[in-house]
Amino acid sequence: MKKALIFGEYKIARFLPVLRDRGYTDFVVYSAVEFDAALEFDAAGVEVKLLGLDWEADDVLRVLEAERPDVAIANPYAHGQEQLPIVYGRAAARWDGRFVAHSAEFAEVACDKVMLHRTGVKRGWPVPAGAVCEDASEVADAARELGFPLVIKEAQAQAGDGRFFAASADELDAVLAAGLAFPAIVQAFKVGEETGIELISAGGELMRWPVVSMGPLDAGLDPSKRARVTPYALPERAAARLEAFLTDIQDNFAPYGPWQIDFAVVEDDIVVLEINPRLGGLSDLGATGSGTDPHAVFTAAALGEPLPVARTRSVAIELPSVEIPGTEVPAHPEGADVMQVTARKPTNRCFVNTDRMQLVTTVGDLEAGRRWVKELDAAGLLRCSVDSAFRQLEQGFGVFGGTAEAR
């Protein structure tokens, strides 16, 4: 009998079949939320226990000692768990068994925005112009030097928190008056296309999914309200800069498992916005567009299996939507592969305690995709503009006729 221990409940239903196929029969899932496992997945052999969001490395080591798993896997999700990768990395360095987690050094760069900025400046990464600030007076000094508009980010915060936009001195004063946690990074706001890429590092290799466009950057700083599409073709210079950035991290910071980069394409170059040391908002779109599920790949890699190659098989779009009781989602384009992700299922949530959902689908025909977007909007289900969804579809079809190999 083989035992797997998983820290984090996110998308756990995609981990279990892979583990079972490899002979694992005993599973312990440490979850940040309470849920009925039988309603979420095949719960045979699965025990769910409570994950402490304030845990330190010693707490994680106590769990490992008590459970003695054949493999332990760090599977953090954004909500409430954003800083846990640092803890997992420190614990993994002290554990004598197999614990698949990023190094603490990588996790610190990924989880702390001030650390990312300082490291980026030191290593020549394409980070936005900015300044680390320890108090309000330093924020004011940075604003005078950089000029408006600005983005202000607290060093360590949970997903969706600790990020602010200021287009004027008055708006900056309002951010400070509301209470800003220091240290914080003040950065010049870059106008460009927000994009992202999902990756997995294991066995010295790096796997990547096709680049995703999350639409033009906006003052709301919330890509979850925008349509996303894959594939997206980077300008030649931007692709080279991304490649150099990925190589430096892979070679020098020991990532081990999934990670994601959000970056802006500004003219023909990139600006790195953040690194996430986990699977998250791009994994469903990556799975749908390539047919290769990041969660299943990560599970197999945690057991020592080689990484495959993910390739674009179709244009795929993810539409921010809303669940309305009694309102059915219009029929998807014929032949489409569809994923409907709701916040109702605790282990499959994209948000918390909301009626939001994401509709992820392949689109084989541009006009069929446009018709479906219009039907969603007419039903009151679409949370982004029709025009923005059309723009994303057009971008995807504009590049799909070229090479199908993931970049």
Side-chain angles (χ1 to χ4, degrees), residues 343-373:
R344 309 290 187 189
K345 209 170 185 181
T347 66
N348 196 42
R349 68 196 191 286
C350 49
F351 303 97
V352 176
N353 298 325
T354 76
D355 58 0
R356 297 184 192 181
M357 67 177 174
Q358 302 293 96
L359 295 171
V360 191
T361 183
T362 56
V363 183
D365 175 80
L366 179 57
E367 289 308 314
R370 285 177 172 149
R371 286 194 299 272
W372 186 59
V373 168

Side-chain angles (χ1 to χ4, degrees), residues 390-403:
F390 283 1
R391 174 185 179 275
Q392 293 292 63
L393 281 171
E394 289 159 5
Q395 280 198 141
F397 278 93
V399 302
F400 188 64
T403 177

Side-chain angles (χ1 to χ4, degrees), residues 177-250:
L180 184 67
F182 292 101
I185 178 75
V186 177
Q187 294 177 326
F189 178 74
K190 294 291 185 179
V191 177
E193 186 85 3
E194 184 169 4
T195 52
I197 186 169
E198 194 119 68
L199 311 114
I200 292 179
S201 295
E205 300 297 321
L206 177 64
M207 178 184 179
R208 63 193 74 184
W209 274 258
V211 174
V212 171
S213 165
M214 294 182 268
L217 281 164
D218 56 63
L221 306 178
D222 187 0
S224 70
K225 294 181 180 178
R226 307 185 219 128
R228 306 177 184 185
V229 73
T230 187
Y232 176 81
L234 293 175
E236 184 175 346
R237 184 183 179 204
R241 289 269 271 180
L242 176 62
E243 189 66 32
F245 177 53
L246 296 179
T247 298
D248 191 26
I249 291 179
Q250 177 76 0

Side-chain angles (χ1 to χ4, degrees), residues 5-215:
L5 169 61
I6 303 172
F7 291 100
E9 71 284 355
Y10 184 56
K11 306 286 190 187
I12 193 65
R14 298 195 204 171
F15 287 67
L16 296 174
V18 178
L19 291 165
R20 288 188 172 114
D21 185 62
R22 274 65 168 182
Y24 283 78
T25 57
D26 189 8
F27 310 95
V28 180
V29 178
Y30 276 80
S31 171
V33 294
E34 294 184 2
F35 65 92
D36 184 343
L39 298 178
E40 299 278 330
F41 44 73
D42 176 1
V46 179
E47 183 178 9
V48 179
K49 299 183 180 181
L50 188 62
L51 173 68
L53 298 180
D54 59 350
W55 277 0
E56 300 293 342
D58 286 345
D59 299 299
V60 174
L61 285 166
R62 277 193 289 270
V63 169
L64 291 165
E65 289 285 359
E67 302 288 355
R68 301 302 306 184
D70 295 281
V71 64
I73 303 172
N75 178 41
Y77 187 55
H79 297 288
Q81 303 176 44
E82 201 74 273
Q83 305 306 317
L84 284 176
I86 300 174
V87 174
Y88 296 145
R90 291 170 180 166
R94 296 163 55 190
W95 176 243
D96 60 2
R98 186 171 183 81
F99 185 9
V100 179
H102 292 301
S103 71
E105 182 182 20
F106 173 74
E108 286 166 357
V109 170
C111 295
D112 188 310
K113 295 175 179 61
V114 166
M115 180 71 76
L116 172 60
H117 179 79
R118 285 175 169 156
T119 304
V121 170
K122 180 180 178 181
R123 301 188 70 85
W125 294 346
V127 295
V132 176
C133 301
E134 300 291 344
D135 56 37
S137 66
E138 291 187 4
V139 171
D141 291 343
R144 281 191 291 271
E145 169 125 7
L146 295 167
F148 292 97
L150 295 170
V151 176
I152 306 95
K153 302 176 183 176
E154 296 173 352
Q156 294 188 0
Q158 300 302 327
D161 296 330
R163 294 184 302 169
F164 311 93
F165 175 85
S168 66
D170 287 343
E171 289 185 11
L172 182 59
D173 288 343
V175 170
L176 293 169
L180 184 67
F182 292 101
I185 178 75
V186 177
Q187 294 177 326
F189 178 74
K190 294 291 185 179
V191 177
E193 186 85 3
E194 184 169 4
T195 52
I197 186 169
E198 194 119 68
L199 311 114
I200 292 179
S201 295
E205 300 297 321
L206 177 64
M207 178 184 179
R208 63 193 74 184
W209 274 258
V211 174
V212 171
S213 165
M214 294 182 268

